[in-house]
Amino acid sequence: RCLLLDPRSIYSPFCSIVDPMRVGLRSLTSNSAPTRVNYGHRCSNAYSTCCATKPEVQPVETPSSDMLVDSFGRFHNYLRISLTERCNLRCQYCMPAEGVELTPKAELLSHDEIIRIANLFVTSGVDKIRLTGGEPTVRKDLEDICLHLSGLKGLKTIAMTTNGIVLSKKLPRLKECGLSALNISLDTLIPAKFEFMTRRKGHSKVMESIDTAIQLGYDPVKINCVIMRGMNDDEICDFVELTRHKPINVRFIEFMPFDGNVWNVKKLVPYAEILDKVRQHFKGVERLQDHPSDTAKNFKIDGHVGTISFITSMTEHFCAGCNRLRLLADGNFKVCLFGPSEVSLREPIHSGLDDAGLKEIISAAVKRKKAKHAGMFDIAKTANRPMIHIGG
């Protein structure tokens, strides 16, 4: 496949990255055609971006390596690793009904490559890794990956985001291998609606996985719930009820635009509206103290064992305290979920580049990270990958 970019933006023979400051803003306002560069093999997808450049940045933690510090002083100690692009569901906000083109297995990161790259990040200061997909539990060597990650000195947390379809059977072993935190995606408590939203059956299996996680001592068990108007916004209070007697943290997520998910602002239910509905039905809703790098606004409710949170990416961004980086299943490195620029780490590995060279590529990409993402309407118009390619 080919990559559309301005060749002047390539700063390394091993990586394919667009510098949005030189290319992105110009490409959004210019009618001139972009230059086509053919590498003769599969290249990373990189596009222009229109992110702003001056935030009220809140530097967090104490950096142990300059590699993970961006030009605004943000230290990135959290790496999300997508293990696969494959999934056993077809959620409407994640991909189009016809599915998406998947990267050939031979072009995905191998087990050893994942561990090598993860080790580079951990030795540079990353202390939390989240495994995502696609659906990470469909990868056959998931347990072995967890086991090897758990042996990395300095790594404090191995988390995973999963749809829970096959989790119940795998979770006891995963916990033994070092999986210490868990997010389970669930957007409806109604089985028939679940089948409609995910285009697959399996609601009871997800509920079983939530119960299994609680029994195994995961506290809290986080439930990710994307709220869409006219789809599941009538279930908000039902989800809150899940927190009454169980150590569950329900995370209400604003509907976000990605390629193929037919995002529309009319489907977006803002955080303030969700919170207002919760407060109308429950007494004693109190804001908790959030960590500066939290993506969530966290609340507790009187008499409830669990908590609720809100991921407000669209209406109240949290870029100033961002500490997250993403490694995609195909080996591309992404510094912002909504920023379309990517740089390949797999290609330089296959070219024989040593760890020092990889760190230089990573550091340069981190330094190019923008102050904040564009507004939701600009994001909706900016070319990016489907969520299943990026990693949830």
Side-chain angles (χ1 to χ4, degrees):
R1 288 187 288 180
C2 294
L3 178 67
L4 298 178
L5 49 84
D6 184 328
R8 293 172 298 174
S9 66
I10 302 176
Y11 67 89
S12 166
F14 298 108
C15 57
S16 311
I17 188 169
V18 171
D19 181 348
M21 289 303 295
R22 288 187 291 168
V23 182
L25 294 176
R26 177 183 59 77
S27 64
L28 286 176
T29 58
S30 172
N31 293 323
S32 60
T35 301
R36 181 179 295 272
V37 181
N38 193 337
Y39 286 90
H41 57 277
R42 184 178 183 276
C43 299
S44 56
N45 290 334
Y47 306 88
S48 61
T49 182
C50 53
C51 298
T53 57
K54 292 184 179 179
E56 295 179 0
V57 171
Q58 303 170 2
V60 294
E61 307 298 335
T62 301
S64 59
S65 169
D66 180 69
M67 182 184 90
L68 300 177
V69 181
D70 68 15
S71 61
F72 301 98
R74 293 172 297 196
F75 174 54
H76 298 77
N77 64 334
Y78 181 3
L79 177 66
R80 301 173 71 98
I81 301 177
S82 176
L83 299 181
T84 178
E85 296 175 354
R86 297 185 179 276
C87 187
N88 44 13
L89 296 179
R90 295 290 183 271
C91 298
Q92 295 189 29
Y93 56 79
C94 188
M95 70 168 78
E98 65 273 15
V100 297
E101 180 183 355
L102 299 177
T103 304
K105 184 177 180 180
E107 297 179 19
L108 298 178
L109 288 175
S110 68
H111 169 281
D112 291 347
E113 289 166 346
I114 290 172
I115 301 304
R116 176 184 172 184
I117 295 173
N119 185 58
L120 288 179
F121 280 93
V122 172
T123 56
S124 298
V126 163
D127 58 17
K128 179 178 181 179
I129 288 178
R130 177 173 297 279
L131 303 177
T132 70
E135 171 50 41
T137 59
V138 305
R139 182 151 175 158
K140 294 181 180 179
D141 57 353
L142 173 61
E143 289 93 346
D144 196 44
I145 290 173
C146 284
L147 187 62
H148 280 82
L149 288 176
S150 67
L152 299 181
K153 185 178 181 181
L155 185 60
K156 299 176 182 178
T157 303
I158 303 176
M160 183 172 71
T161 298
T162 170
N163 61 31
I165 293 292
V166 299
L167 179 66
S168 183
K169 295 179 180 179
K170 294 177 177 285
L171 193 52
R173 176 58 181 159
L174 285 170
K175 185 175 183 182
E176 292 176 359
C177 292
L179 185 68
S180 55
L182 196 61
N183 289 52
I184 299 176
S185 299
L186 180 64
D187 303 308
T188 179
L189 300 174
I190 303 171
K193 190 187 293 187
F194 177 91
E195 186 174 346
F196 173 76
M197 295 181 72
T198 66
R199 305 183 181 106
R200 297 290 188 274
K201 296 181 182 293
H203 182 269
S204 62
K205 294 179 180 179
V206 181
M207 299 305 294
E208 180 183 356
S209 292
I210 293 172
D211 289 337
T212 299
I214 293 172
Q215 292 167 9
L216 288 173
Y218 286 93
D219 185 2
V221 175
K222 296 182 179 181
I223 296 179
N224 291 350
C225 180
V226 178
I227 298 296
M228 292 176 282
R229 194 178 305 283
M231 184 72 73
N232 61 350
D233 54 329
D234 58 336
E235 296 186 65
I236 291 170
C237 293
D238 294 332
F239 271 97
V240 175
E241 276 295 335
L242 293 178
T243 70
R244 187 178 294 276
H245 302 297
K246 296 180 179 181
I248 289 175
N249 169 230
V250 174
R251 301 164 73 80
F252 294 111
I253 302 173
E254 292 181 337
F255 184 35
M256 296 175 278
F258 294 98
D259 277 14
N261 73 352
V262 196
W263 184 86
N264 188 311
V265 69
K266 294 180 180 179
K267 297 180 182 179
L268 171 67
V269 184
Y271 142 69
E273 182 179 332
I274 302 173
L275 178 59
D276 183 61
K277 182 173 290 188
V278 171
R279 281 181 161 151
Q280 287 179 18
H281 288 80
F282 297 92
K283 296 180 179 180
V285 179
E286 181 180 343
R287 179 76 180 266
L288 298 173
Q289 181 65 46
D290 304 324
H291 188 276
S293 63
D294 276 349
T295 60
K297 294 175 173 60
N298 302 296
F299 293 78
K300 68 176 182 178
I301 301 174
D302 285 350
H304 287 226
V305 174
T307 56
I308 61 172
S309 302
F310 301 87
I311 313 296
T312 63
S313 304
M314 295 295 94
T315 60
E316 294 184 22
H317 71 76
F318 32 81
C319 302
C322 183
N323 66 339
R324 290 155 180 76
L325 302 169
R326 293 173 180 265
L327 178 65
L328 280 57
D330 63 1
N332 279 9
F333 177 52
K334 195 174 180 74
V335 297
C336 176
L337 173 62
F338 299 109
S341 297
E342 300 176 3
V343 55
S344 176
L345 299 183
R346 179 179 176 275
E347 290 173 13
I349 286 176
H350 283 238
S351 299
L353 191 65
D354 62 13
D355 286 356
L358 287 174
K359 285 186 175 183
E360 289 181 6
I361 294 175
I362 294 167
S363 179
V366 172
K367 297 298 183 291
R368 282 171 164 77
K369 183 169 180 174
K370 300 305 173 185
K372 60 182 179 179
H373 67 64
M376 59 182 171
F377 295 107
D378 287 327
I379 292 172
K381 293 184 291 186
T382 303
N384 201 353
R385 295 221 239 174
M387 190 63 184
I388 195 168
H389 281 172
I390 298 172

